[in-house]
Amino acid sequence: MTRLVLHIDRLVLTGIDRHDADAVAAGVQAELQRLLAQPGALGALTGGGDRPRIRAGSVPVPHGGNGHAMGQAIAGGIARGVKP
């Protein structure tokens, strides 16, 4: 059995209101769980070995969206940054 452990020690979010932080974090967590549970996702990720840092780069977030939607967009950027 292959196991993936993902630690996010620091997530830099420029321009996001502090009041949205919990909703953004919940959106990131839920979307990463969904993306990484898809068939074949784990195999694509484990081929790259340990990675001390992932740079997701700029992630477009929906204007007027809620914190959860922002978190989903951020998780998509993280998932793209993790894949080899």
Side-chain angles (χ1 to χ4, degrees), residues 5-37:
V5 178
L6 176 66
H7 293 277
I8 300 176
D9 294 322
R10 185 171 65 143
L11 182 61
V12 179
L13 304 172
T14 304
I16 294 180
D17 192 306
R18 288 179 180 244
H19 295 98
D20 291 330
D22 289 340
V24 171
V28 169
Q29 181 177 358
E31 185 66 2
L32 281 175
Q33 287 173 338
R34 187 188 74 76
L35 291 171
L36 298 177

Side-chain angles (χ1 to χ4, degrees), residues 45-71:
L45 295 175
T46 57
D50 289 347
R51 294 180 204 151
R53 180 175 294 154
I54 298 166
R55 295 193 187 273
S58 296
V59 176
V61 294
H63 290 288
N66 60 27
H68 192 80
M70 288 183 213

